[in-house]
Each structure stands twice: as structure tokens, then as C-alpha cells.
Amino acid sequence: MPDAPGQVARALRAAPPDQLAEAADRAIRRALDASRTEVFIADYRSTGLWPVLDPDLPDGDFLACQGVAQRCFSSQQPVLDGGADTRCRVYLPLSVWGERLGVLMVELAATPDATTVEAARDVAGELAVALRAADRETDRYRRARRRERLSMAAEMQWDLLPGRSVAHGAFLLAGQLEPAYTVGGDHFDWSVDGDRLTVTVLNGTGSGLTASLLTAVTVNAMRNARRSGGSLVEQAELASDTIFYQHRGSRHVATLLLELDTRRGVVKAVDAGSPHVLRLRGGTVAPIVLEQQLPLGMFAETRYDVQEFTVEPGDRLFVVSDGVYEAEPAGQEPYGERAMARSMRSTRLQPAAEAVGTVMRELHAYHADADLRDDAVVVCLDWRGFSPPDNAGGQ
């Protein structure tokens, strides 16, 4: 097994972007003496994993793989599954910078030793990086992700996202959009730059394509300011002016902008509307009270002020849109009154990427699994406390 990750990496670099799964299959068979591989891609709701190489797997085989693959996806650790014969299936997380893409399954002739499992894990890492890069060059892996057709608005929203999770030595961050296949205006964005993490959550107004177009303009205006070195205030003000001079106050976007100093645990905030911030510390969920300012684009030349609050190592912040906080199905009290805090407390032992899914599942259950009436965004940020660069990373 000489340099299995290197062999696979070279094969992936030589492969066309739509043929990565096949190139990895051939290289892994040679490098690890595997009899079979499969690449499973997570769907838009992160509730299922779907095969790329053999999308028509027999039901029994698919279900057997699905359960073990989900364990690997949730734990982000290799899972070994021995069969009745001596063969062993090794399931490995396909993740890059903390973003969970799916799972790689490698079938070996016998239960592997620790060295082989570690080599297989490195192989999965090489494949994850290649899949992430290839995603802009082919539709193949996006087709594998969707279990139904996306609306035009949802297509735009998912394309606009930075990712669905990211890991850093000082923090874990994850987000989720719902309803996944028809989301219109709600959105989130983030960027990691040295000791600064910028997160924005948008509570878009309207519905459908009109809402997604407004959100796209808002996100790109904030990105333009941020990438030019602009502060949170400059990001908010450029976006606000751009929206106003396009719509003259008839359209606006409620937005929360956060900037975390990952060394000091100080969060700067511009609260331009309705997204809510809640902190889970220990077993207690409490709102972070900020002074609300005008939504972006309501008036010309609106100026914004920065507020600050601090986080302690181990704190978890949830940012939710009104579609979560104010959801009021079938005459019940709003989800944010009590049910949301219960679901957030139940995530204490889960990583951020699992926590957003838990809150969304509880929201769907609160709606008795009926379609959500409004777009919903949940973003979860765990601050671990600063660690030197040599100790950074992990999931």
C-alpha cells in the first residue's frame, strides 16, 4: 500500500471533473486492493445519502449501505461494517474544511488494520477536495443531491451559499435553508479571514424569484464591500444604498451582520432587522438583545451603528430567521416562544452541522410535517476559544 493517497490524488487530478467517482474507484481498487467502492452524496436536506457510481443499487443493498453511511456522516469518523463473509466495508467521511459532502465506501477483502484505515481516510480527503473543486464544472454531483426539482428561486439561493458548514481551530459553523427545494428569500453567508469570521443572515421579503433576486443583490453588495476591506458598517451601508436606489424603498431586506474576533471572543454586530440571535451556554438558552436598526434598503443614505457582545469558550450561538422564530402553525404559539429553546437545548452534545438539522426537524414536526409557510434559516456557531495555528483544524 505504498502512498495510496498520492496515487489517488494523481488519478483525480488527471480525471475530467464529471468522472471523479470512476477515477477514484479505479485508483482505490489498485492502491488498497479493494473489490468495490461507492461515493454517496448528501442531499439538500442532509437527510439522505445517495450513490453516484451506481444510482440504481438494489433496494436491500442500498438500505444496508444507507444506515451505516449515515452513522459515518453524522459522526465524521470511519465506520467498519463486516459482512457474513470475511469482507469488510469501510465508510469514510467526505469532508473538506469541515463541510460535509458525503461518504466514501471502500470494500476490502478483510478487516483492515489501523494503517489501512488511516490511508483510506486520507484517500477520502483527497476525493472530497476534488469533488468540491469539480462542483463548478459539472452538474453531476448536484443532480445526485436533489431528490426533487428545485424551484428557480431555490436554485439561485443554493448557488449563492458559501457552503453548509466550516471548521476552524477556534469555531465550528453550519447553516441550513428550508424548505430546501423551494426556498425564496432567506439566506446566510460567511467568510473566514485570519482572526475574523464574518457571518450574515438575511430574512428576505417576498417569495419566489423576486425574493431570491433581491437577496442575490444584497449578498453580493455586502461581499463587494467585505472583499474591498470594508467594515460591517460599510457592508451594511453599501447593501442598503444599492437596494434603495434600485427599489426606492419599496423593497428592503432584514439582515443581521456579525463579525467574530476568533482570538478574543468579541462579536461585533449590525442588527438591521429581524433575524434573532440566541446563546446556548451550558443548558440555558437566552436571547442576545441587540438594538434593531432599519432593514437594508428602506431609506436613502441610512447609517448603521455597531454593537458588541462577548462569547465564552463552549458557547453556542444560533441565528434564526423569522420563518423559524415566529412560525405559528395551526393556531399554536410561535415556535420561538418555548419549543425552539427546547430543541436547541437538545443539541448540546451534537456538532454544529447536526444541530442545525435537529432544529429544522423539530420545526417541521411543530408544523406536523406540513410544508413550511415561510422560508427558514438556522445558522449555528460554536466558539471553542482561541488555539494557536499548529492546533487548528478538526471537526
Side-chain angles (χ1 to χ4, degrees), residues 95-270:
S95 302
V96 54
W97 298 307
E99 180 167 8
R100 303 176 174 198
L101 305 180
V103 168
L104 170 66
M105 186 276 288
V106 179
E107 187 174 85
L108 302 172
T111 301
D113 59 20
T115 301
T116 302
V117 172
E118 192 59 33
R121 188 167 190 170
D122 289 342
V123 163
E126 295 289 350
L127 178 56
V129 171
L131 287 169
R132 177 82 182 264
D135 208 34
R136 292 291 178 182
E137 311 300 330
T138 176
D139 290 335
R140 183 181 184 188
Y141 313 113
R142 297 186 187 216
R143 282 199 300 270
R145 286 177 63 188
R146 61 190 68 195
R147 309 323 303 162
E148 59 187 83
R149 185 165 184 162
L150 291 171
S151 68
M152 275 291 296
E155 191 82 56
M156 292 178 61
Q157 295 295 62
W158 284 104
D159 253 9
L160 195 60
L161 285 180
R164 288 195 282 182
S165 55
V166 64
H168 183 279
F171 65 82
L172 295 174
L173 180 62
Q176 178 64 20
L177 301 177
E178 288 287 349
Y181 292 91
T182 58
V183 65
D186 287 11
H187 200 265
F188 59 84
D189 191 29
W190 57 58
S191 175
V192 183
D193 188 3
D195 298 330
R196 180 179 67 183
L197 167 66
T198 305
V199 180
T200 58
V201 176
L202 294 82
N203 200 129
T205 55
S207 60
L209 192 57
T210 302
S212 68
L213 288 168
L214 181 63
T215 295
V217 169
T218 307
V219 169
N220 280 293
M222 289 189 291
R223 286 177 177 174
N224 180 265
R226 187 184 73 221
R227 292 167 181 173
S228 301
S231 65
L232 278 192
V233 165
E234 291 172 292
Q235 293 167 44
E237 291 178 353
L238 177 61
S240 183
D241 289 346
T242 301
I243 298 165
F244 179 81
Y245 288 113
Q246 187 176 39
H247 296 285
R248 296 293 168 176
S250 64
R251 307 292 306 279
H252 46 81
V253 182
T255 307
L256 179 68
L257 300 90
L258 302 175
E259 182 183 287
L260 169 65
D261 182 327
T262 60
R263 282 182 172 268
R264 300 187 299 126
V266 175
V267 182
K268 295 180 179 178
V270 172

Side-chain angles (χ1 to χ4, degrees), residues 6-20 23-24 26-27 30 130:
Q7 291 180 44
V8 173
R10 288 188 290 273
L12 293 173
R13 285 196 296 271
D18 64 322
Q19 293 295 304
L20 292 178
R26 292 190 296 270
R30 289 194 300 269

Side-chain angles (χ1 to χ4, degrees), residues 65-124:
C65 290
Q66 182 82 306
V68 186
Q70 281 287 0
R71 291 213 316 269
C72 172
F73 187 74
S74 297
S75 69
Q76 289 295 288
Q77 297 295 325
V79 176
L80 276 60
D81 181 36
D85 54 15
T86 59
R87 293 192 178 278
C88 181
R89 290 176 175 177
V90 184
Y91 293 81
L92 305 134
L94 290 171
S95 302
V96 54
W97 298 307
E99 180 167 8
R100 303 176 174 198
L101 305 180
V103 168
L104 170 66
M105 186 276 288
V106 179
E107 187 174 85
L108 302 172
T111 301
D113 59 20
T115 301
T116 302
V117 172
E118 192 59 33
R121 188 167 190 170
D122 289 342
V123 163

